[in-house]
Amino acid sequence: MYFYLSKTLDFFIHPINILGLLSISTFLFFILGKQRLAKTLGFLMLFCWFGVGYTPLPTYGLTYLENFVARPQSINLKDFDCIIV
């Protein structure tokens, strides 16, 4: 039970899978004649593709997170037993 649940949730966590499902559902709604819903999903899909695919956006977010925590001025390595990389 937990294996299937973890695999299902893992599928929906990845942004590329969500964008793929949005692409497929947009296409299906156009075929079924639900033009307004298809256009709304299409604009949402394009906005998400732009957010994931535009290179500087993830860099800006990562830079903000790196600068959020202050760096220590001096580190005494003798205080550490191990370092996890």
Side-chain angles (χ1 to χ4, degrees):
M1 173 66 183
Y2 293 113
F3 176 76
Y4 298 116
L5 181 64
S6 70
K7 293 300 178 187
T8 304
L9 291 177
D10 182 57
F11 178 80
F12 288 109
I13 287 174
H14 298 289
I16 195 73
N17 293 339
I18 296 170
L19 290 172
L21 289 175
L22 275 174
S23 301
I24 292 170
S25 61
T26 301
F27 180 71
L28 287 176
F29 283 127
F30 265 126
I31 289 175
L32 294 175
K34 306 215 181 252
Q35 305 295 331
R36 185 172 172 88
L37 183 60
K39 286 180 184 179
T40 304
L41 284 177
F43 285 124
L44 176 67
M45 177 195 60
L46 288 176
F47 179 75
C48 290
W49 273 114
F50 179 75
V52 170
Y54 187 58
T55 306
L57 290 180
T59 306
Y60 292 147
L62 192 59
T63 303
Y64 171 75
L65 288 175
E66 287 175 349
N67 295 329
F68 185 71
V69 178
R71 294 181 183 170
Q73 297 300 324
S74 64
I75 297 175
N76 187 4
L77 293 178
K78 293 180 182 178
D79 293 338
F80 296 101
D81 292 330
C82 66
I83 296 175
I84 299 173
V85 178

Coordinates of all heavy atoms in Angstrom, one line a residue:
M1 N 0.8 -1.2 0.0 CA 0.0 0.0 0.0 C 0.9 1.3 0.0 O 0.6 2.2 -0.8 CB -0.9 -0.1 1.2 CG -1.7 1.2 1.5 SD -2.9 1.5 0.1 CE -3.6 3.0 0.6
Y2 N 1.8 1.3 0.9 CA 2.7 2.5 1.0 C 3.6 2.7 -0.2 O 3.9 3.8 -0.6 CB 3.6 2.4 2.3 CG 2.8 2.5 3.5 CD1 2.7 1.4 4.4 CD2 2.1 3.7 3.9 CE1 1.9 1.5 5.5 CE2 1.3 3.7 5.0 CZ 1.3 2.7 5.8 OH 0.5 2.7 7.0
F3 N 4.0 1.6 -0.8 CA 4.8 1.6 -2.0 C 4.0 2.3 -3.2 O 4.6 3.2 -3.8 CB 5.2 0.2 -2.4 CG 6.0 0.2 -3.7 CD1 7.3 0.6 -3.7 CD2 5.4 -0.2 -4.9 CE1 8.1 0.6 -4.9 CE2 6.1 -0.2 -6.1 CZ 7.4 0.2 -6.1
Y4 N 2.8 1.9 -3.4 CA 2.0 2.5 -4.5 C 1.7 3.9 -4.2 O 1.7 4.8 -5.1 CB 0.7 1.7 -4.7 CG 1.0 0.3 -5.1 CD1 0.6 -0.8 -4.3 CD2 1.6 0.0 -6.3 CE1 0.9 -2.1 -4.7 CE2 1.9 -1.3 -6.8 CZ 1.5 -2.3 -6.0 OH 1.8 -3.6 -6.4
L5 N 1.4 4.2 -2.9 CA 1.1 5.6 -2.6 C 2.3 6.5 -2.7 O 2.2 7.6 -3.3 CB 0.6 5.7 -1.1 CG 0.3 7.1 -0.6 CD1 -0.9 7.6 -1.3 CD2 0.0 7.0 0.9
S6 N 3.5 6.0 -2.4 CA 4.7 6.8 -2.5 C 5.1 7.0 -4.0 O 5.5 8.1 -4.4 CB 5.9 6.1 -1.8 OG 6.3 4.9 -2.5
K7 N 4.8 6.0 -4.8 CA 5.1 6.2 -6.3 C 4.1 7.2 -6.9 O 4.5 7.9 -7.8 CB 5.0 4.8 -7.0 CG 6.1 3.9 -6.6 CD 7.5 4.5 -6.9 CE 8.6 3.6 -6.5 NZ 9.9 4.2 -6.6
T8 N 2.9 7.1 -6.5 CA 1.9 8.1 -7.0 C 2.2 9.5 -6.6 O 2.2 10.4 -7.4 CB 0.5 7.7 -6.5 OG1 0.2 6.3 -6.9 CG2 -0.6 8.6 -7.1
L9 N 2.5 9.7 -5.3 CA 2.8 11.0 -4.8 C 4.1 11.5 -5.5 O 4.3 12.7 -5.7 CB 2.9 11.0 -3.3 CG 1.6 10.9 -2.6 CD1 1.8 10.8 -1.1 CD2 0.6 11.9 -2.9
D10 N 5.1 10.6 -5.7 CA 6.3 11.0 -6.3 C 6.1 11.5 -7.7 O 6.8 12.4 -8.2 CB 7.3 9.8 -6.3 CG 8.6 10.2 -6.9 OD1 9.3 11.1 -6.4 OD2 9.0 9.5 -7.9
F11 N 5.2 10.9 -8.4 CA 4.8 11.3 -9.8 C 4.3 12.7 -9.8 O 4.7 13.5 -10.6 CB 3.8 10.4 -10.4 CG 3.4 10.8 -11.8 CD1 4.2 10.5 -12.9 CD2 2.2 11.4 -12.0 CE1 3.8 10.9 -14.1 CE2 1.8 11.8 -13.3 CZ 2.6 11.5 -14.3
F12 N 3.5 13.1 -8.8 CA 2.8 14.4 -8.8 C 3.7 15.5 -8.2 O 3.4 16.6 -8.2 CB 1.5 14.3 -8.1 CG 0.4 13.6 -8.9 CD1 0.0 12.4 -8.5 CD2 -0.1 14.2 -10.0 CE1 -1.0 11.7 -9.2 CE2 -1.0 13.6 -10.8 CZ -1.5 12.3 -10.4
I13 N 4.8 15.1 -7.6 CA 5.7 16.1 -7.0 C 6.6 16.8 -8.0 O 6.9 18.0 -7.9 CB 6.6 15.4 -5.9 CG1 5.8 15.1 -4.7 CG2 7.8 16.3 -5.6 CD1 6.5 14.4 -3.6
H14 N 7.0 16.1 -9.1 CA 7.8 16.6 -10.1 C 7.1 17.6 -11.0 O 6.1 17.3 -11.6 CB 8.5 15.5 -10.9 CG 9.3 14.6 -10.1 ND1 10.5 14.9 -9.6 CD2 9.1 13.3 -9.7 CE1 11.0 13.9 -8.9 NE2 10.1 12.9 -9.0
P15 N 7.6 18.8 -11.2 CA 7.0 19.8 -12.0 C 6.8 19.4 -13.4 O 5.8 19.8 -14.0 CB 7.9 21.0 -11.9 CG 8.7 20.8 -10.7 CD 8.8 19.3 -10.5
I16 N 7.7 18.7 -14.0 CA 7.6 18.3 -15.4 C 6.4 17.4 -15.6 O 5.7 17.5 -16.7 CB 8.9 17.7 -15.9 CG1 8.9 17.7 -17.5 CG2 9.1 16.3 -15.4 CD1 9.1 19.0 -18.1
N17 N 6.1 16.5 -14.7 CA 4.9 15.7 -14.8 C 3.6 16.5 -14.7 O 2.6 16.2 -15.4 CB 4.9 14.6 -13.7 CG 6.1 13.6 -13.9 OD1 6.6 13.5 -15.0 ND2 6.5 13.0 -12.8
I18 N 3.6 17.4 -13.8 CA 2.4 18.3 -13.7 C 2.2 19.1 -15.0 O 1.0 19.2 -15.4 CB 2.5 19.2 -12.5 CG1 2.6 18.4 -11.2 CG2 1.4 20.2 -12.4 CD1 3.0 19.2 -10.0
L19 N 3.3 19.6 -15.5 CA 3.1 20.3 -16.8 C 2.7 19.4 -17.9 O 1.9 19.8 -18.8 CB 4.4 21.0 -17.1 CG 4.8 22.2 -16.2 CD1 6.2 22.7 -16.5 CD2 3.8 23.3 -16.4
G20 N 3.2 18.2 -17.9 CA 2.7 17.2 -18.9 C 1.2 16.9 -18.8 O 0.5 16.8 -19.8
L21 N 0.7 16.7 -17.6 CA -0.7 16.5 -17.4 C -1.5 17.7 -17.8 O -2.6 17.6 -18.3 CB -1.0 16.2 -15.9 CG -0.5 14.8 -15.5 CD1 -0.7 14.6 -14.0 CD2 -1.2 13.7 -16.2
L22 N -1.0 18.9 -17.5 CA -1.7 20.1 -17.9 C -1.8 20.2 -19.5 O -2.8 20.6 -20.0 CB -1.0 21.4 -17.4 CG -1.4 21.9 -16.0 CD1 -0.5 23.0 -15.6 CD2 -2.8 22.2 -15.9
S23 N -0.7 19.8 -20.1 CA -0.7 19.8 -21.6 C -1.7 18.9 -22.2 O -2.4 19.2 -23.1 CB 0.7 19.5 -22.1 OG 1.7 20.4 -21.6
I24 N -1.7 17.6 -21.6 CA -2.6 16.6 -22.1 C -4.1 17.0 -21.8 O -5.0 16.9 -22.7 CB -2.3 15.3 -21.4 CG1 -1.0 14.7 -22.0 CG2 -3.4 14.3 -21.7 CD1 -0.4 13.5 -21.2
S25 N -4.3 17.6 -20.6 CA -5.7 18.0 -20.3 C -6.2 19.2 -21.1 O -7.3 19.2 -21.5 CB -5.8 18.3 -18.8 OG -5.0 19.4 -18.4
T26 N -5.3 20.1 -21.5 CA -5.6 21.2 -22.3 C -6.0 20.7 -23.7 O -7.1 21.1 -24.3 CB -4.4 22.2 -22.5 OG1 -4.1 22.6 -21.2 CG2 -4.8 23.3 -23.4
F27 N -5.2 19.7 -24.2 CA -5.6 19.1 -25.5 C -6.9 18.4 -25.5 O -7.7 18.5 -26.4 CB -4.4 18.2 -26.0 CG -4.6 17.5 -27.3 CD1 -4.6 18.3 -28.4 CD2 -4.9 16.2 -27.3 CE1 -4.8 17.6 -29.7 CE2 -5.1 15.6 -28.5 CZ -5.0 16.3 -29.7
L28 N -7.1 17.6 -24.4 CA -8.4 16.9 -24.3 C -9.6 17.8 -24.2 O -10.7 17.5 -24.8 CB -8.3 15.9 -23.2 CG -7.4 14.7 -23.3 CD1 -7.4 13.9 -22.1 CD2 -7.9 13.8 -24.5
F29 N -9.5 18.9 -23.5 CA -10.6 19.8 -23.3 C -10.9 20.5 -24.6 O -12.0 20.8 -24.9 CB -10.4 20.8 -22.2 CG -10.6 20.2 -20.8 CD1 -9.6 20.3 -19.9 CD2 -11.8 19.5 -20.5 CE1 -9.8 19.7 -18.6 CE2 -12.0 19.0 -19.3 CZ -11.0 19.1 -18.3
F30 N -9.9 20.8 -25.4 CA -10.1 21.4 -26.8 C -10.9 20.4 -27.7 O -11.8 20.8 -28.4 CB -8.8 21.8 -27.5 CG -8.4 23.2 -27.3 CD1 -7.2 23.5 -26.7 CD2 -9.3 24.2 -27.6 CE1 -6.8 24.9 -26.6 CE2 -9.0 25.6 -27.4 CZ -7.7 25.9 -26.9
I31 N -10.5 19.1 -27.6 CA -11.2 18.1 -28.4 C -12.6 17.9 -27.9 O -13.5 17.8 -28.8 CB -10.4 16.7 -28.3 CG1 -9.1 16.8 -29.1 CG2 -11.3 15.6 -28.9 CD1 -8.3 15.6 -28.9
L32 N -12.9 18.0 -26.6 CA -14.2 17.8 -26.1 C -15.1 19.0 -26.2 O -16.3 18.9 -25.9 CB -14.1 17.4 -24.6 CG -13.5 16.0 -24.3 CD1 -13.4 15.8 -22.8 CD2 -14.3 14.9 -24.9
G33 N -14.6 20.1 -26.7 CA -15.4 21.3 -26.9 C -15.5 22.2 -25.8 O -16.3 23.2 -25.8
K34 N -14.7 22.1 -24.7 CA -14.8 23.0 -23.6 C -13.7 24.0 -23.8 O -12.6 24.0 -23.2 CB -14.6 22.2 -22.3 CG -15.5 21.1 -22.1 CD -15.9 20.9 -20.7 CE -16.9 19.7 -20.6 NZ -18.2 20.1 -20.3
Q35 N -13.9 25.0 -24.7 CA -12.9 25.9 -25.1 C -12.5 26.8 -24.0 O -11.3 27.1 -23.9 CB -13.5 26.8 -26.3 CG -14.0 26.0 -27.4 CD -12.9 25.2 -28.1 OE1 -11.8 25.6 -28.2 NE2 -13.3 24.1 -28.7
R36 N -13.4 27.3 -23.2 CA -13.0 28.3 -22.1 C -12.1 27.6 -21.1 O -11.1 28.2 -20.7 CB -14.3 28.8 -21.5 CG -14.0 29.9 -20.4 CD -15.3 30.5 -20.0 NE -15.1 31.4 -18.9 CZ -14.9 32.7 -19.0 NH1 -14.7 33.2 -20.2 NH2 -14.7 33.4 -17.9
L37 N -12.4 26.4 -20.7 CA -11.6 25.7 -19.7 C -10.2 25.3 -20.3 O -9.2 25.4 -19.7 CB -12.3 24.4 -19.2 CG -11.6 23.6 -18.2 CD1 -11.3 24.4 -16.9 CD2 -12.4 22.3 -17.9
A38 N -10.2 25.0 -21.6 CA -9.0 24.6 -22.3 C -8.1 25.8 -22.4 O -6.9 25.7 -22.2 CB -9.3 24.0 -23.7
K39 N -8.7 27.0 -22.7 CA -7.8 28.2 -22.8 C -7.3 28.6 -21.5 O -6.1 29.0 -21.4 CB -8.7 29.4 -23.4 CG -8.9 29.2 -24.9 CD -9.8 30.4 -25.4 CE -10.1 30.2 -26.8 NZ -10.9 31.3 -27.4
T40 N -8.1 28.5 -20.4 CA -7.6 28.8 -19.1 C -6.5 27.9 -18.7 O -5.4 28.3 -18.2 CB -8.8 28.7 -18.0 OG1 -9.8 29.5 -18.4 CG2 -8.3 29.0 -16.7
L41 N -6.6 26.6 -18.9 CA -5.5 25.6 -18.6 C -4.3 25.9 -19.5 O -3.2 25.7 -19.1 CB -6.0 24.2 -18.8 CG -6.9 23.6 -17.7 CD1 -7.4 22.2 -18.0 CD2 -6.2 23.6 -16.3
G42 N -4.6 26.3 -20.7 CA -3.5 26.6 -21.6 C -2.6 27.7 -21.2 O -1.4 27.7 -21.2
F43 N -3.3 28.8 -20.7 CA -2.6 29.9 -20.2 C -1.8 29.6 -18.9 O -0.7 30.0 -18.7 CB -3.5 31.1 -19.9 CG -3.9 31.8 -21.2 CD1 -5.2 32.0 -21.5 CD2 -3.0 32.3 -22.1 CE1 -5.6 32.6 -22.7 CE2 -3.3 33.0 -23.2 CZ -4.7 33.1 -23.5
L44 N -2.5 28.8 -18.1 CA -1.8 28.3 -16.8 C -0.6 27.5 -17.2 O 0.5 27.6 -16.6 CB -2.8 27.6 -16.0 CG -2.2 26.9 -14.7 CD1 -1.8 28.0 -13.7 CD2 -3.2 26.0 -14.1
M45 N -0.7 26.6 -18.2 CA 0.4 25.8 -18.6 C 1.5 26.6 -19.2 O 2.7 26.4 -18.8 CB -0.1 24.8 -19.6 CG 1.0 23.9 -20.2 SD 0.5 23.1 -21.7 CE 0.1 24.4 -22.8
L46 N 1.2 27.6 -20.0 CA 2.3 28.4 -20.6 C 3.0 29.2 -19.5 O 4.2 29.4 -19.5 CB 1.7 29.3 -21.6 CG 1.3 28.6 -22.9 CD1 0.6 29.6 -23.9 CD2 2.5 28.0 -23.6
F47 N 2.2 29.7 -18.5 CA 2.8 30.5 -17.4 C 3.8 29.6 -16.6 O 4.9 30.0 -16.2 CB 1.7 31.1 -16.5 CG 2.3 31.8 -15.4 CD1 2.8 33.1 -15.6 CD2 2.2 31.3 -14.1 CE1 3.3 33.8 -14.5 CE2 2.7 32.0 -13.0 CZ 3.3 33.3 -13.2
C48 N 3.3 28.4 -16.4 CA 4.2 27.4 -15.6 C 5.4 27.0 -16.4 O 6.5 26.9 -15.8 CB 3.4 26.2 -15.2 SG 2.1 26.5 -13.9
W49 N 5.2 26.8 -17.7 CA 6.4 26.4 -18.5 C 7.4 27.6 -18.5 O 8.6 27.4 -18.5 CB 6.0 26.1 -20.0 CG 5.6 24.7 -20.2 CD1 4.4 24.3 -20.6 CD2 6.5 23.6 -20.2 NE1 4.4 22.9 -20.7 CE2 5.7 22.5 -20.5 CE3 7.8 23.4 -19.9 CZ2 6.2 21.2 -20.5 CZ3 8.3 22.1 -20.0 CH2 7.5 21.0 -20.3
F50 N 6.9 28.8 -18.5 CA 7.8 30.0 -18.5 C 8.5 30.0 -17.1 O 9.7 30.3 -17.1 CB 7.0 31.2 -18.7 CG 7.8 32.5 -18.7 CD1 8.7 32.8 -19.7 CD2 7.8 33.3 -17.5 CE1 9.5 34.0 -19.6 CE2 8.6 34.4 -17.5 CZ 9.4 34.8 -18.5
G51 N 7.8 29.7 -16.1 CA 8.4 29.8 -14.7 C 9.5 28.7 -14.6 O 10.5 28.9 -13.9
V52 N 9.2 27.5 -15.1 CA 10.2 26.4 -15.0 C 11.3 26.5 -16.0 O 12.5 26.3 -15.7 CB 9.5 25.0 -15.1 CG1 10.4 23.9 -15.2 CG2 8.5 24.8 -14.0
G53 N 11.0 27.0 -17.2 CA 12.0 27.0 -18.3 C 12.8 28.2 -18.4 O 13.9 28.1 -19.0
Y54 N 12.4 29.3 -17.8 CA 13.2 30.5 -17.9 C 14.3 30.4 -16.9 O 14.1 30.4 -15.7 CB 12.3 31.7 -17.7 CG 13.0 33.1 -17.9 CD1 13.5 33.4 -19.1 CD2 13.1 34.0 -16.9 CE1 14.1 34.6 -19.4 CE2 13.7 35.2 -17.1 CZ 14.2 35.5 -18.3 OH 14.8 36.7 -18.6
T55 N 15.5 30.4 -17.4 CA 16.7 30.1 -16.6 C 16.9 31.0 -15.4 O 17.3 30.5 -14.3 CB 18.0 30.1 -17.5 OG1 17.7 29.2 -18.6 CG2 19.2 29.6 -16.7
P56 N 16.8 32.3 -15.5 CA 17.2 33.2 -14.3 C 16.2 33.0 -13.1 O 16.6 33.3 -12.0 CB 17.1 34.6 -14.9 CG 17.3 34.5 -16.3 CD 16.7 33.2 -16.7
L57 N 15.0 32.6 -13.3 CA 14.1 32.5 -12.2 C 14.5 31.6 -11.1 O 14.6 32.0 -9.9 CB 12.7 32.2 -12.7 CG 12.0 33.3 -13.5 CD1 10.6 32.8 -13.9 CD2 11.8 34.5 -12.7
P58 N 14.9 30.4 -11.4 CA 15.4 29.5 -10.3 C 16.7 30.0 -9.7 O 16.9 29.9 -8.5 CB 15.7 28.1 -11.0 CG 14.8 28.2 -12.2 CD 14.8 29.6 -12.6
T59 N 17.5 30.7 -10.5 CA 18.8 31.3 -10.0 C 18.5 32.4 -9.0 O 19.2 32.5 -7.9 CB 19.7 31.8 -11.1 OG1 19.8 30.7 -12.1 CG2 21.0 32.3 -10.6
Y60 N 17.5 33.2 -9.3 CA 17.2 34.3 -8.3 C 16.6 33.7 -7.0 O 17.0 34.2 -5.9 CB 16.1 35.2 -8.9 CG 16.6 36.0 -10.1 CD1 15.7 36.4 -11.1 CD2 17.9 36.5 -10.2 CE1 16.2 37.1 -12.2 CE2 18.3 37.3 -11.2 CZ 17.5 37.6 -12.2 OH 17.9 38.3 -13.3
G61 N 15.8 32.7 -7.1 CA 15.3 32.1 -5.9 C 16.4 31.4 -5.1 O 16.4 31.5 -3.8
L62 N 17.3 30.7 -5.7 CA 18.4 30.1 -5.0 C 19.3 31.1 -4.4 O 19.8 31.0 -3.3 CB 19.2 29.2 -6.0 CG 20.2 28.2 -5.3 CD1 19.5 27.3 -4.3 CD2 20.9 27.4 -6.4
T63 N 19.6 32.2 -5.1 CA 20.5 33.3 -4.5 C 19.8 33.9 -3.3 O 20.5 34.2 -2.3 CB 20.7 34.4 -5.6 OG1 21.3 33.7 -6.8 CG2 21.6 35.4 -5.1
Y64 N 18.5 34.1 -3.4 CA 17.8 34.6 -2.2 C 18.0 33.7 -1.0 O 18.2 34.2 0.1 CB 16.3 34.9 -2.5 CG 15.5 35.2 -1.3 CD1 15.6 36.5 -0.7 CD2 14.7 34.3 -0.7 CE1 14.9 36.9 0.4 CE2 14.0 34.6 0.5 CZ 14.1 35.9 1.0 OH 13.4 36.2 2.1
L65 N 17.8 32.4 -1.2 CA 17.9 31.5 -0.1 C 19.3 31.4 0.4 O 19.5 31.2 1.6 CB 17.4 30.1 -0.6 CG 15.9 29.9 -0.8 CD1 15.6 28.5 -1.3 CD2 15.2 30.1 0.5
E66 N 20.3 31.5 -0.5 CA 21.7 31.4 0.0 C 22.1 32.6 0.8 O 22.9 32.6 1.8 CB 22.7 31.3 -1.2 CG 22.6 30.0 -1.9 CD 23.5 29.9 -3.1 OE1 23.9 31.0 -3.6 OE2 23.7 28.8 -3.6
N67 N 21.6 33.8 0.5 CA 21.9 35.0 1.2 C 21.0 35.3 2.4 O 21.2 36.2 3.2 CB 21.8 36.2 0.2 CG 22.8 36.1 -0.8 OD1 23.9 35.6 -0.6 ND2 22.5 36.7 -2.0
F68 N 20.0 34.5 2.6 CA 19.0 34.6 3.7 C 19.7 34.3 5.0 O 19.4 35.0 6.0 CB 17.8 33.7 3.5 CG 16.7 33.9 4.5 CD1 16.0 35.0 4.5 CD2 16.5 32.9 5.5 CE1 15.0 35.2 5.4 CE2 15.5 33.1 6.4 CZ 14.7 34.2 6.4
V69 N 20.6 33.3 5.1 CA 21.3 32.9 6.3 C 22.7 33.6 6.3 O 23.4 33.5 5.3 CB 21.4 31.4 6.4 CG1 22.1 31.0 7.6 CG2 20.0 30.8 6.4
A70 N 23.0 34.2 7.4 CA 24.3 34.9 7.4 C 25.4 33.8 7.5 O 25.3 32.8 8.2 CB 24.4 35.8 8.7
R71 N 26.5 34.1 6.9 CA 27.7 33.2 6.9 C 28.5 33.4 8.2 O 28.7 34.5 8.6 CB 28.6 33.4 5.7 CG 27.9 33.1 4.4 CD 28.8 33.3 3.2 NE 28.1 33.0 2.0 CZ 28.6 33.3 0.8 NH1 29.7 33.9 0.7 NH2 27.9 33.0 -0.3
P72 N 29.0 32.3 8.8 CA 29.8 32.5 10.0 C 31.2 33.2 9.6 O 31.7 32.9 8.5 CB 30.0 31.1 10.5 CG 29.7 30.2 9.4 CD 28.7 30.9 8.5
Q73 N 31.7 34.0 10.5 CA 33.0 34.7 10.2 C 34.1 33.7 10.3 O 35.1 33.8 9.5 CB 33.1 35.9 11.1 CG 32.1 36.9 10.9 CD 32.1 37.5 9.5 OE1 33.1 37.7 8.9 NE2 30.9 37.8 9.0
S74 N 34.2 32.9 11.3 CA 35.3 32.0 11.5 C 34.7 30.6 11.9 O 33.8 30.6 12.7 CB 36.3 32.5 12.5 OG 35.7 32.6 13.8
I75 N 35.3 29.6 11.4 CA 34.9 28.2 11.7 C 36.1 27.5 12.3 O 37.2 27.5 11.6 CB 34.4 27.5 10.5 CG1 33.1 28.2 10.0 CG2 34.1 26.1 10.8 CD1 32.6 27.6 8.7
N76 N 36.0 26.9 13.4 CA 37.0 26.1 14.0 C 36.8 24.7 13.6 O 35.8 24.0 14.1 CB 37.1 26.3 15.5 CG 38.3 25.6 16.1 OD1 39.1 25.0 15.4 ND2 38.4 25.6 17.4
L77 N 37.6 24.1 12.7 CA 37.3 22.7 12.2 C 37.6 21.7 13.3 O 37.2 20.5 13.1 CB 38.1 22.5 11.0 CG 37.8 23.3 9.8 CD1 38.7 23.0 8.6 CD2 36.3 23.1 9.4
K78 N 38.3 22.0 14.3 CA 38.6 21.0 15.4 C 37.3 20.7 16.2 O 37.3 19.7 16.9 CB 39.7 21.5 16.3 CG 41.0 21.6 15.6 CD 42.1 22.1 16.5 CE 43.4 22.2 15.7 NZ 44.5 22.7 16.5
D79 N 36.3 21.6 16.1 CA 35.0 21.3 16.8 C 34.2 20.3 16.2 O 33.2 19.8 16.8 CB 34.3 22.6 17.0 CG 35.0 23.6 17.9 OD1 35.8 23.2 18.7 OD2 34.7 24.8 17.7
F80 N 34.5 19.9 14.9 CA 33.6 19.0 14.1 C 34.2 17.6 14.1 O 35.5 17.5 14.0 CB 33.5 19.5 12.7 CG 32.7 20.8 12.6 CD1 33.4 22.0 12.4 CD2 31.4 20.8 12.7 CE1 32.7 23.2 12.4 CE2 30.7 22.0 12.6 CZ 31.4 23.2 12.5
D81 N 33.4 16.6 14.2 CA 33.9 15.2 14.1 C 33.8 14.8 12.7 O 34.6 13.9 12.2 CB 33.0 14.3 15.0 CG 33.2 14.6 16.4 OD1 34.3 15.0 16.8 OD2 32.2 14.3 17.2
C82 N 32.8 15.3 11.9 CA 32.7 14.9 10.5 C 32.0 16.0 9.7 O 31.4 16.9 10.3 CB 31.9 13.6 10.4 SG 30.2 13.7 10.9
I83 N 32.1 15.9 8.4 CA 31.4 16.9 7.6 C 30.6 16.1 6.6 O 31.1 15.2 5.9 CB 32.5 17.8 6.8 CG1 33.3 18.6 7.8 CG2 31.8 18.6 5.8 CD1 34.4 19.4 7.2
I84 N 29.4 16.4 6.5 CA 28.5 15.8 5.5 C 28.4 16.6 4.3 O 28.1 17.8 4.3 CB 27.1 15.6 6.1 CG1 27.1 14.7 7.3 CG2 26.1 15.0 5.1 CD1 25.8 14.6 8.1
V85 N 28.7 16.0 3.1 CA 28.7 16.7 1.9 C 27.5 16.3 1.1 O 27.2 15.1 0.9 CB 30.0 16.5 1.1 CG1 29.9 17.2 -0.3 CG2 31.2 16.9 1.8

